[in-house]
Amino acid sequence: MTDLRDIFDDFEEDFALDERTIVEDLGIAPRVIEQRVLNDIHSQRSRHKKHHYLTTFLIAAAISAALVGTTVIAGQLFKPDFNGKFDGDVSALVVHEPQNFFFEPLNDNLEAYFGGIVGDEDTAVASVLLTKKDNTPFLTDEDGILQPVGTLMEDLTETEIWKEPSDYNFLASLRDLKEPTGLDYEYVFYTKNSEHVVMSESCTAVDVRLNEDRTEMTMYINVNVTNGETQGGAASLSFDHFFAYETVGLLAAYQDAGEQSQQQAESLCDRKGIDLHKNCRWVYEDGQYCLYYIERIRYDLPFDMSFTMNYRTENPLKTIFSAAAAPTLLRENNNAMMMLTPFQLTLSAQQLLNAEQITSRIKDYCLTHHCSEEVTQDLLFRATQDSFPETYTLSAIQQEWKGTACHVIDSARSFITMKDGRVYYLVLADCTTNCFPKGNEHLDVEDSLTFFYSDVPIEKPQQSDMLEEIQKTSVLSLREVSKVCINGHLLYQHSAEDTSTVPL
Amino acid sequence: MDVEKLAKRLKRKDEKALSELILHFTPLISTIIYNVGHGAMTKEDIEEVTSDVFMTLWNNTDKIQPDKLKGYLCCIAKTRAINKLSTLRSGILDIDDYDPEDDFSLVEHSELKELHHTLRQIIDTLENPDREILLRYYYYYQSTTKIADVLQMNQETVKSKLKRTRQKIKSILIERGYGR
């Protein structure tokens, strides 16, 4: 039962009543509360410094696609690029909101912005942006380390694939840097029963990248997640200097990082007289595994940093719906399902038609639409034709598809409402339709649609860069999703039972 | 005191702004916690929950809307107090104030934000003392005894006015399409 008090408890409104007639004299001194809170804040910081962490948080959920495009964590101060950091099972990826991040520059001239953490079952990557308070570059030409080594480049032009370095990439591997540099770090996992398991070898690498004018340094801190029972962890890193690697030039690029590629890389390095392990680094870039020739550089960057990353490996929101619930969205079919992840929404469905059903459907359809196709098949997801007479297209089937399928989605009536009232419109990103004729009697149809989230309704973006832009701008916290409507049909509504009594 | 300015400073993690807000809002926040507790919490409990409210505010400065800071604090205070009560295994309502017909299961929780907006509109149309009684009882958790005392009314009058206001709100909400 919901009573009126429940509703008022979540009311974040201010009502102009005379507080003097409400406030009770309880003998509680505001100064005592102030001191208590400030002490708590300072001890919270202190705990961070001592590398002890509290479990709090978090959202978690699956991420879209194979993170080929840039992905962004919502509500953050900068947009990290996790491109190429993961290539595993998409449904296992989780997003962590940026909380409990602590950064203390020891020379007091740095600013830090936490960009969040993305992880899968094996690896988590935290992103941090550093700038100097006076906005001066981290490195200048006078440092003498940004000049390409000409003679080496000449040698390398003989390799199969070669390109000029387009930016200044610095790769720092903790494995190499732990000793004798000033790096110290600790990583603690939390198990399901909140016990701590220290796994100090889990921080595997820090990728450090500079932007073009060298005023922004982005760090990607990779952490191994090796225990499936863990629920999260906390990492702290303390730097006073590290050795970075300037990527001098690309040696080769491979489609995968398998054994064959490794052997080819070793062979290439042997021919060039280069030590693969000392002088080269692998970088995943543009869908390829690139082998870079690197130069080692000492770099002073003193600071302490820590963050927590508690896993709550929630599955994506999935809900099964029927044609009865969404009659103009899809025909009767099997396994019609909506899956919501922080980065995209996917509808999928299957339909198995026998010969009689196919014949019946063709007759119905041709009677309505005066068509003369031999065999005609509707898509499983569609809007009513009345709504979109000018754009609705049919696909014809004999044994295979003919023509191009066109799904029609009314973007203005297809949206996700968040609990705080924000609305994200769904923009059709991709659709795949497969028909599998089975003999002459059955036709198995699979259909799926992928949507991105947009702040504004967009009917049908034609340009891929527009889609990429949309994909960059909106990432949902699944815990905050209230309902999902497509073409005006309610496909998902948050269950009240799952709602915490805490409004945060 | 310009609370909105302080809230903006707080969003930038300004500790001095937090201090000023604590000094200003502690009496109200501790009273709400006390009211929710209906005598079940000790002074130490109330101090603990009040501190917790401001720590929560500090740790969630990104969620602050400067023009709604007071409402946000009250909301945190109520939920924190209810949580504390549940750990103390105590009831929330005086048996005198309990009304089994106070069923407002008109909406799914997910529609609460929308409902809040509508409810705010309805509350703004209510005349005093009905409006004041409603807010004191539901928003500030004052008991009907206390409300009667402050407004110099008979307790039964407060209860009957409360009941009528509740019925009025419910019927307006149903008219506007909420509920079964």
Side-chain angles (χ1 to χ4, degrees), chain A residues 172 177 181 208 219 239-244 297-301:
Chain A
L177 306 179
T181 68
V208 184
M219 304 179 69
F239 288 86
D240 78 7
H241 67 272
F242 64 84
F243 287 97
I297 303 154
R298 179 189 164 106
Y299 193 79
D300 293 318
L301 189 71

Side-chain angles (χ1 to χ4, degrees), chain A residues 1-19 21-34 36-38 40-42 44-45 75 97 99 418-421 481-483 493-496 499-504, chain B residues 15 18-19 22-23 26-28 30-31 34 43 46-48 50-51 54-56 58-60 68 70-72 75 78-80 82-83 93 102-105 108-113 115-116 119-120 123 132 134-142 146 150:
Chain A
M1 186 184 94
T2 301
D3 69 21
L4 195 51
R5 179 157 270 149
D6 293 332
I7 297 169
F8 269 95
D9 282 347
D10 284 335
F11 227 144
E12 292 181 10
E13 294 281 338
D14 179 15
F15 296 100
L17 286 190
D18 184 356
E19 285 174 20
T21 63
I22 293 166
V23 168
E24 301 272 352
D25 182 8
L26 304 170
I28 291 173
R31 288 284 179 197
V32 171
I33 302 296
E34 179 199 15
R36 193 169 171 158
V37 172
L38 294 179
D40 284 350
I41 290 170
H42 296 151
Q44 186 173 285
R45 283 189 185 141
E97 282 180 343
Q99 292 186 18
M418 310 299 281
K419 289 176 188 169
D420 64 2
V481 171
S482 168
K483 59 186 170 185
Q493 183 143 26
H494 176 71
S495 165
T499 305
S500 166
T501 56
V502 182
L504 300 173
Chain B
E15 278 185 27
L18 179 67
S19 286
I22 291 173
L23 297 180
T26 289
L28 176 65
S30 56
T31 297
Y34 167 78
K43 183 184 170 191
I46 296 171
E47 282 182 348
E48 179 195 323
T50 305
S51 304
F54 289 108
M55 269 307 283
T56 304
W58 176 255
N59 287 329
N60 292 277
K68 290 187 172 179
K70 183 178 156 191
Y72 185 50
C75 187
K78 282 182 270 189
T79 51
R80 285 287 185 266
I82 290 167
N83 289 349
L93 295 173
D102 185 10
D103 182 359
F104 266 70
S105 301
E108 294 294 329
H109 193 278
S110 55
E111 291 175 336
L112 269 182
K113 293 285 175 187
L115 175 65
H116 284 156
L119 191 57
R120 173 82 207 213
I123 290 169
E132 189 165 347
L134 181 86
L135 292 176
R136 283 177 181 278
Y137 183 77
Y138 283 109
Y139 191 74
Y140 291 104
Y141 271 78
Q142 277 190 335
K146 177 72 182 177
V150 173

Side-chain angles (χ1 to χ4, degrees), chain A residues 156-168:
Chain A
L156 292 175
T157 50
E158 295 170 18
T159 55
E160 299 97 319
I161 304 169
W162 167 256
K163 70 175 182 181
E164 293 288 332
S166 58
D167 57 359
Y168 303 103

Side-chain angles (χ1 to χ4, degrees), chain A residues 29-144:
Chain A
R31 288 284 179 197
V32 171
I33 302 296
E34 179 199 15
Q35 199 53 51
R36 193 169 171 158
V37 172
L38 294 179
N39 286 345
D40 284 350
I41 290 170
H42 296 151
S43 70
Q44 186 173 285
R45 283 189 185 141
S46 173
R47 281 200 301 279
H48 275 299
K49 286 186 76 172
K50 290 174 183 173
H51 306 166
H52 294 147
Y53 301 93
L54 295 174
T55 305
T56 53
F57 75 90
L58 249 215
I59 76 158
I63 299 179
S64 79
L67 294 174
V68 172
T70 299
T71 54
V72 179
I73 309 302
Q76 293 169 199
L77 292 169
F78 85 102
K79 296 178 176 181
D81 178 359
F82 291 106
N83 184 15
K85 296 293 181 188
F86 304 96
D87 57 356
D89 180 9
V90 171
S91 65
L93 287 170
V94 292
V95 178
H96 305 280
E97 282 180 343
Q99 292 186 18
N100 296 332
F101 173 67
F102 173 75
F103 179 86
E104 185 175 50
L106 301 182
N107 60 5
D108 205 28
N109 69 348
L110 295 173
E111 297 274 15
Y113 306 93
F114 194 35
I117 306 172
V118 169
D120 61 16
E121 288 176 343
D122 300 319
T123 307
V125 180
S127 55
V128 178
L129 175 71
L130 302 180
T131 61
K132 284 187 174 179
K133 284 181 178 172
D134 58 8
N135 206 33
T136 54
F138 279 95
L139 296 171
T140 64
D141 289 339
E142 285 71 43
D143 293 319

